Amino acid sequence: MTLAIVWQGGIVLLLLSFLLPLLLVSCKCSWIRKGSLLSMILGLVALTYVAGISLYRGEVASLVFFSLPFVMFIDRFAAFFIVVVTIISTCVAIYSWSYVEHYASSTKKNLLVALMGSFILFMILVITSHDMLSFLIFWELMALASFLLVMFEYEKQETRKAGLFYFIMTQMSTVFLLLAFILFANATGSLALQTPSALTPTMGSIIFVLLFFGFGIKAGIIPLHKWLPYAHPASPSNVSALMSGVMIKVALYGLMRFVLMILPPQLWWGIVILIAGTISALLGVIYALKEHDIKRLLAYHSIENIGIILIGFGLAGILQWYQLGNLATLALAGSLFHILNHALFKSLLFLTAGSVVQATGTRNIEEMGGLIKVMPITATLFLVGAISIAALPPFNGFMSELMIFQAFFASGEIPNALMVIFLMVCLSLLALTSALAAVCFVKAFAITFLASPRSEHAAKAKEVHTSMLLGPALLALLCLGLGLFSYQIFSRIIDSSVLPNMLFIGIALLISYVVIVATLFFLASPKTRISETWGCGLISQNARMEYTASGFSEPIMNIFSLIYRPKKTIEREYAEPSKSIFTKGKAHFDLVKFFEAYLYMPVISLINRVSLVITKLHTGSLDTYTAYVFVAMVVLMILAGWLG
C-alpha cells in the first residue's frame, strides 16, 4: 500500500513538471522552471525508490493510478529499466537547472522543461505497460515528445532535416510494431504481454522479424540507424543525453521482453541478433572515428554500444539454446549491465560535451583545444566518461564488456564446430571494436581539451555553472562505483568466479597514482623552463601547428578506405608559374555515406518516381476520373468473381 502511494505521488509530480510550464509557457518568471525541475527530481526519486524495492525483492506489482481504468505493471525486469530511466533523468534534470537558461526566450525555456517532463513520463509508462495497446499508445506519445524535442531549434536547417529523418523513421518503427501486435493478437486472441498458450514457430518467427525491425529502428541498429546521427546532434544537449542514454534502452527493453519472456525462442533469432550487434558495434565505432562534430561522434558511439549490448543478448540466446545455462546467464547479465553502464557514461559524455559546446559556441573539435586549462572540472568529468566507454579498468565499462568476453571464451563447450568458429569471429570483431573505441576517445579528449586553443571561442571559454557540473559528477561517481563494486554486486546474482575483484585493483591503482603524483611533487624541480620546440623550420609556434583531428583520423581512414571510400581534394597556390614554391593550400576529405547512398536514397528515388507517375494521372478532367472509377469497378468485380 505504501509503495502504491509513493508510486502515485511520483507520477503526479512528473505530471506537474510537465503541465506547470506548459500551462504558463509565456510566463517570464524563472520559478516556474525551477519548480518544475524540482518536481521532476522529487518524482523521479520516488519512482526510483519503488522500482529499486521491486528490483531488490523480485516482487511483481500491478499499480493503478487512483481510480482510472489503467494498470501499470512492474516486475524485476521492468524495474531494472525504470531505475535506468530515473537515475539518468534525475542527473539530467539537475544539469538542466542552469542549462535551459542559456536560451533567450522564456517561452522556449518553459517549453523545453515541459517537453522533457512529458518525454520522461511517457518512457516510464511504456516500460510499465500492462498490454500491447497501452504499450503502443505510450510508445507513440514518447515518439511525439521526442520529435518535438528534436525539432526544438527548428530555425536551423540542420534541425529540420534531422526532424524529417526522425519523424519518418519513428513512424516506420510504429508500423512494424503495429503489424507485429496485430498478428500476435490474431494468433493468440490476447493483447496481454504474457507467454501465449499457442503460437506456431512460423508465426513466432514472423512476429520476431517485425519486432526486430520495429524496435531496431528506435534502438539505432545498423542499417536502421540513419535518424540517430542526425537527431542527437540537432537536439539540445540535455535531450541528447536522454535520447542516447535512455530512449534507445526503452526500445531494447521491448525487444528483450518479447524475445526472453513472451515468444518461444529459436536458435536463429540469437544468431541474427548477434550478427546485427557485431555489425553495429564495428561500423558504429568506425564511423565515429571520422567525426569531428563532438555530438555526432558520441551519437555513432551509441550505435557501437547498442551493438555490444546486442552481442551479449544474442550470445545468451545461442548459449541458452545449447543448454549452457550458466554461460547464458553470464552473457545476459553482461548485456544488461552494459545497458546501465552505457546509459551512465553516454549521458555523462553528452552533458559534458553540451557544456563544452555552450562555452565555445561550436561542435567542431578542430576549433577547440586547451579547454582543460579553463574548464578543468568539465574536462575531468569528460575524461571519466571517456575512460569508462573505452572499457578501461577500474570503471564500469570494463566489467560489462569483460563479462561478455568471458562468455565468449567459454563458448567452446558448444557441441557444434561451425557455431564455435562463428562465435570466435564475432569475438575477434568485438575485440577490434573495443580497441578502436579507445583510439577514438584518445582523439576526442586530446583534440578537445589538450594543447593550445585553436580558435578565439576556445580561448575565451569559461567553466560552466555548478549545477551543470553536479549532474555529470553524480554520473561519474556511479561509473566509478559500479566499476569498483561490480564483483560484490554480481557475486549475489551469478557465478562470479570468472570475474576479477575490481575493488582491490582499484585500490591498487589509486595507491599507484598517489605514489606517482607524490613522487613527482616532491622530487621534480619546481623551476619552470621555457624554450622553443623544433618547428619544422617555421619561426612562429602557434596552435595551427598542433596535431588535428583530421591528422589523427587519416591513418584509420586509409585502413578502412573500403568502408569510408574517401575522396581527397587538394587545392594549392604557388608563388610562381613553375609551381616550385608553395604558398598556401587546403585539402578536403569527402566520405561516402554508405547506407544513405546505397540503401535509403534508392528507395527515396523510387518513391519519387512513383509519385511523379501518380501526379501525371491527376489530369483535372472529370471524364478521366470517371474512366478511373469504371476501370476500378471492373477490376474489383473480376477479383470478387475470382475469389469466389
Side-chain angles (χ1 to χ4, degrees), residues 525-542:
S525 171
K527 295 181 181 178
T528 302
R529 183 170 60 91
I530 300 176
S531 62
E532 285 285 331
T533 58
W534 181 65
C536 302
L538 297 177
I539 299 173
S540 171
Q541 303 288 320
N542 54 54

Side-chain angles (χ1 to χ4, degrees), residues 92-146:
V92 172
I94 294 170
Y95 178 89
S96 302
W97 194 274
S98 300
Y99 177 80
V100 296
E101 300 300 327
H102 85 277
Y103 287 99
S105 162
S106 296
T107 301
K108 292 202 79 167
K109 295 174 186 175
N110 293 336
L111 196 57
L112 178 56
V113 174
L115 289 172
M116 265 182 60
S118 65
F119 184 39
I120 294 168
L121 176 63
F122 293 138
M123 283 193 290
I124 292 172
L125 293 177
V126 168
I127 296 172
T128 58
S129 294
H130 187 256
D131 56 47
M132 294 180 197
L133 180 61
S134 58
F135 187 99
L136 204 60
I137 291 172
F138 292 126
W139 179 269
E140 270 300 273
L141 291 172
M142 178 186 77
L144 177 62
S146 57

